[in-house]
Amino acid sequence: MNAAIAKQSDCYTIEDIYNLPDGQRAELIDGELYMMAAPGRIHQRIVMELSFRIRDHIGRNGGDCEVYPAPFAVFLDENNDIYVEPDISVICGKNKLTDEGCKGAPDWIIEIVSPSSRAMDYNKKLFKYRTAGVREYWIVDLMKQLIMVYNFEHDTFEEYSFSDKVKAGIYEDFEIDFSGISIE
């Protein structure tokens, strides 16, 4: 369930995120809490495959970016009003990393669409990520068998299938061959 939960009187704050019961995950956007369901097996397989391939590329090329799969806290604004847990966050500015997570926009975010997250990933998060300064945003949609690539730096959008090689915009020499990723 990824439905918004609104308080009766006030907006939710980061303190409400910190006060959730153990094991309960939510995101905070514009004063609303969005409860998060546990991801499925295929979802997690794709997160791990993509994270590994990105991390492997960074390591082989002596890069200094870091890859963090969810759950990983991302505070998109300095007031901690927007707290999200992208499926994959790639952060190239070490000054953004703290023990709590990432303070500011990651350079590259990948969201794997779940039935409960569809509207969030395609709409609300797309707008928030772009506004916050994320350089590149991928939406990987298992149901549609599509990868939507938003390169906010160059104001471009491209759509790929699961049989395509998808080039990363933040790295000139890196692409992911989705035909080699098992989705069964």
Side-chain angles (χ1 to χ4, degrees):
M1 172 177 100
N2 202 340
I5 309 290
K7 266 189 180 179
Q8 299 290 342
S9 58
D10 296 322
C11 292
Y12 282 100
T13 68
I14 195 64
E15 291 305 316
D16 294 303
I17 291 284
Y18 293 143
N19 290 324
L20 288 172
D22 285 345
Q24 180 68 56
R25 293 176 48 216
E27 295 179 311
L28 173 67
I29 301 175
D30 298 332
E32 294 183 34
L33 278 184
Y34 294 87
M35 305 312 286
M36 300 172 68
R41 180 181 62 84
I42 302 302
H43 178 280
Q44 287 302 91
R45 176 188 291 153
I46 292 173
V47 167
M48 293 305 296
E49 282 286 332
L50 295 177
S51 296
F52 173 78
R53 291 170 190 224
I54 296 165
R55 180 67 198 122
D56 184 56
H57 173 78
I58 293 167
R60 280 187 287 109
N61 291 282
D64 62 352
C65 298
E66 296 196 26
V67 182
Y68 294 94
F72 179 72
V74 173
F75 303 88
L76 282 179
D77 65 356
E78 60 190 40
N79 299 323
N80 295 341
D81 292 333
I82 302 174
Y83 168 93
V84 291
E85 293 183 6
D87 288 315
I88 301 172
S89 300
V90 179
I91 298 114
C92 299
K94 305 268 187 190
N95 61 327
K96 294 180 184 179
L97 295 172
T98 69
D99 286 343
E100 294 177 316
C102 177
K103 300 278 187 168
D107 293 85
W108 180 12
I109 289 178
I110 301 174
E111 293 283 11
I112 315 302
V113 176
S114 298
S116 62
S117 72
R118 182 167 299 284
M120 286 288 288
D121 294 339
Y122 276 98
N123 298 306
K124 193 169 289 263
K125 285 185 176 181
L126 173 67
F127 174 76
K128 293 298 180 185
Y129 292 160
R130 179 183 197 122
T131 304
V134 171
R135 294 168 52 199
E136 185 168 355
Y137 176 42
W138 289 17
I139 300 173
V140 178
D141 193 323
L142 297 169
M143 187 184 313
K144 293 182 180 181
Q145 298 282 295
L146 293 173
I147 302 98
M148 277 64 66
V149 175
Y150 295 87
N151 185 319
F152 298 136
E153 279 187 315
H154 298 103
D155 200 27
T156 61
F157 167 77
E158 295 183 67
E159 190 173 278
Y160 300 90
S161 76
F162 271 68
S163 60
D164 292 328
K165 292 179 180 177
V166 181
K167 185 176 176 340
I170 69 167
Y171 298 111
E172 290 182 24
D173 59 345
F174 179 56
E175 64 184 14
I176 296 175
D177 184 354
F178 273 81
S179 69
I181 297 176
S182 174
I183 55 170
E184 296 182 25

